[in-house]
Amino acid sequence: MNRITYKVLVLLIIGLMMSCAKDKKESTKNIDDTPVTEEVSEKEDKDLDLTSSKSEVVFSDEKITKLYNQYLLVKKQLVNSKAKLVQKEAKKLEELLDDSDENKQLKATTKLISLTKEIKKQRDFFVTLTEETEKIINGATITSGKVYKQFCPMAFEGNGGYWLSNSDEVRNPYYGNEMLTCGKVDTTIQ
């Protein structure tokens, strides 16, 4: 009887260890030996950015509407911790921008994100992406919808970080599923 109990116990421990390993981060190396870290969730296709409320924002300038919507796609992939898709969406955002002085910093930041393979660094650059996007939308006229400026006080070692959202429900791009709902609506832009 003791042998059976021992074998069952060993099998349970092994099963538990294997199931916990599925939720851990997966690390690999880039060609230049820099680490790439993407969180791996049990359900790869689950969108963590989904909320029950969503504000369809339309600006008087269609270019700004496209820019804001593409910004939201970058944010979505950060929430989902999908580094490759963050790169792809940042590249699309970069292509929407002209070479004007007004867009210079925004375009440079989108380029950095599109070239960066590590999710942590993408999140670092997202701070500037948010600041530059906010400058553009603050100077624009919203014809419908609301933009929610959200804030996580724990981001960046307690210094905090802002982002823009189309929902009043928090989905944190700086932590993904680690602290998905950490934050609050700081300002509503209408």
Side-chain angles (χ1 to χ4, degrees):
M1 195 82 183
N2 280 341
R3 284 186 170 191
I4 293 173
T5 306
Y6 177 74
K7 287 179 182 179
V8 169
L9 185 61
V10 168
L11 288 173
L12 283 173
I13 292 172
I14 291 171
L16 182 62
M17 290 172 57
M18 290 176 65
S19 69
C20 290
K22 288 180 185 177
D23 293 335
K24 288 189 179 177
K25 293 181 181 178
E26 181 180 289
S27 273
T28 57
K29 295 245 181 198
N30 290 330
I31 294 171
D32 61 355
D33 278 347
T34 58
V36 174
T37 305
E38 256 189 89
E39 296 170 17
V40 178
S41 64
E42 213 170 287
K43 293 185 177 181
E44 285 291 325
D45 58 347
K46 184 177 179 185
D47 183 4
L48 299 175
D49 196 43
L50 284 178
T51 60
S52 61
S53 68
K54 186 176 179 183
S55 178
E56 294 292 333
V57 180
V58 178
F59 293 88
S60 58
D61 184 340
E62 188 180 329
K63 288 180 184 178
I64 295 175
T65 302
K66 288 180 181 178
L67 178 138
Y68 176 67
N69 287 332
Q70 193 59 43
Y71 165 91
L72 290 175
L73 291 172
V74 174
K75 181 197 93 101
K76 172 184 177 172
Q77 298 311 331
L78 287 169
V79 169
N80 286 302
S81 301
K82 306 266 186 174
K84 287 180 183 176
L85 292 176
V86 171
Q87 288 180 288
K88 179 182 169 186
E89 298 301 346
K91 182 70 175 164
K92 289 179 186 177
L93 180 55
E94 180 188 355
E95 290 168 359
L96 288 175
L97 300 167
D98 59 35
D99 291 327
S100 67
D101 284 342
E102 179 187 45
N103 292 334
K104 189 175 183 179
Q105 183 64 46
L106 181 58
K107 192 161 185 158
T109 304
T110 58
K111 183 151 188 87
L112 282 171
I113 294 171
S114 72
L115 295 173
T116 303
K117 295 179 181 180
E118 190 175 341
I119 194 83
K120 183 185 180 318
K121 289 184 180 176
Q122 290 172 336
R123 288 176 169 145
D124 290 344
F125 293 135
F126 188 68
V127 173
T128 305
L129 183 68
T130 297
E131 290 169 356
E132 294 301 315
T133 302
E134 184 179 8
K135 285 178 191 175
I136 290 172
I137 68 169
N138 277 337
T141 303
I142 297 176
T143 57
S144 68
K146 297 177 183 178
V147 175
Y148 299 94
K149 182 177 180 182
Q150 299 179 341
F151 178 74
C152 173
M154 297 181 70
F156 307 107
E157 299 176 10
N159 292 317
Y162 291 94
W163 68 93
L164 305 173
S165 180
N166 60 349
S167 175
D168 59 353
E169 297 174 49
V170 172
R171 296 296 182 266
N172 192 321
Y174 297 119
Y175 285 106
N177 66 358
E178 289 179 25
M179 290 196 291
L180 184 61
T181 59
C182 180
K184 65 177 183 162
V185 174
D186 182 73
T187 310
T188 302
I189 306 165
Q190 304 187 55

